[in-house]
Amino acid sequence: AVTQGPGLIPALLVGINYAKGLAINLRRPITGVNHFIAHIYGAFLNNGKGVLEDKNSYPILALVVSGGHTSLLLITEDGSARHLGCTIDDAAGEALDKASKLLGLGYPGGPKIDKLAKEGNPHAMEFPRAKVGGSQYDFSFSGMKSAVLNYINQAEMKGETICVPDLCASFQNAVVDVLVSRAVAATKEFGYKKLAIAGGVASNSALRAGMKAACEKAGIEFYY
């Protein structure tokens, strides 16, 4: 099995060509796997039984969130995926990485912001939660990232000291708020009872906690 997409074409070609060589050499069939779907299956590995073997796991609403992707997908009763919404600019993980770079924290930024945010006030600053006109389940994080840059520039011009933990906590809170609200709203609208998050940003502690609390309140089973 090999990832056939979505993703960066050069990287995908390297993997696919290598897998083809192995398949020929080992005389084994080759199967292309969708990147998004593989991530979603991963959310069920800690539950003792994989979603592949248990058709009772369907239907599911899944949020795939990483440095390259932020997408909502409906996994229907027959296990097929329907794309519901995605980011129109930066992915959530990309926005966290760029904010980290602006603060001089380094890369990858997500884990660094998550760690510092635990020491800060998530309501110290209010960053914009963008809505995409005419598409309630799409995401936009570029404005939020620009707001961080503007805040830093204004503080520097005024000679003010920036409380980095507060800024990290507030920015992360805004990102998590958007992800949780969109995902839970979609799950409720379509009448689904299960929600899964997957991808690198699914390891963010604030996202897990926020999604868990929102799902418990809404009576939704939560997987990560």
Side-chain angles (χ1 to χ4, degrees):
V2 60
T3 298
Q4 66 179 11
L8 299 173
I9 297 301
L12 292 170
L13 284 173
V14 170
I16 289 169
N17 287 329
Y18 189 86
K20 283 181 178 179
L22 279 177
I24 292 169
N25 184 261
L26 298 172
R27 297 183 179 181
R28 293 290 186 270
I30 184 170
T31 300
V33 179
N34 182 286
H35 185 154
F36 283 166
I37 305 303
H39 269 310
I40 295 164
Y41 287 152
F44 290 82
L45 294 177
N46 289 331
N47 293 283
K49 193 169 186 180
V51 68
L52 280 169
E53 298 95 43
D54 186 5
K55 290 296 181 181
N56 292 324
S57 294
Y58 306 128
I60 311 155
L61 188 130
L63 172 67
V64 178
V65 56
S66 67
H69 306 288
T70 301
S71 295
L72 278 173
L73 297 101
L74 298 173
I75 311 300
T76 56
E77 286 81 356
D78 63 356
S80 60
R82 173 187 162 195
H83 189 263
L84 187 61
C86 66
T87 180
I88 62 167
D89 41 54
D90 292 348
E94 183 183 1
L96 289 166
D97 286 339
K98 288 179 177 177
S100 176
K101 183 178 180 181
L102 291 171
L103 291 167
L105 302 178
Y107 180 88
K112 293 177 171 63
I113 287 181
D114 192 13
K115 183 178 180 180
L116 280 171
K118 291 180 172 66
E119 305 167 16
N121 175 7
H123 303 291
M125 307 117 187
E126 287 300 323
F127 292 108
R129 276 78 157 160
K131 292 184 178 180
V132 181
S135 186
Q136 61 180 327
Y137 296 128
D138 281 337
F139 302 88
S140 173
F141 294 102
S142 63
M144 206 181 291
K145 175 198 65 185
S146 297
V148 172
L149 177 60
N150 291 338
Y151 182 90
I152 293 171
N153 287 340
Q154 288 175 16
E156 288 177 349
M157 285 189 293
K158 296 176 183 177
E160 296 175 349
T161 301
I162 296 172
C163 180
V164 175
D166 280 356
L167 183 52
C168 288
S170 298
F171 180 71
Q172 179 176 261
N173 181 56
V175 172
V176 167
D177 183 34
V178 169
L179 294 172
V180 170
S181 61
R182 299 275 204 288
V184 172
T187 307
K188 290 164 67 176
E189 179 180 331
F190 286 89
Y192 282 18
K193 299 297 182 183
K194 298 180 181 182
L195 191 159
I197 58 171
V201 182
S203 64
N204 180 281
S205 63
L207 176 58
R208 288 188 179 189
M211 198 71 81
K212 183 178 180 181
C215 285
E216 285 178 355
K217 185 177 179 181
I220 298 168
E221 293 179 47
F222 175 48
Y223 298 85
Y224 59 89

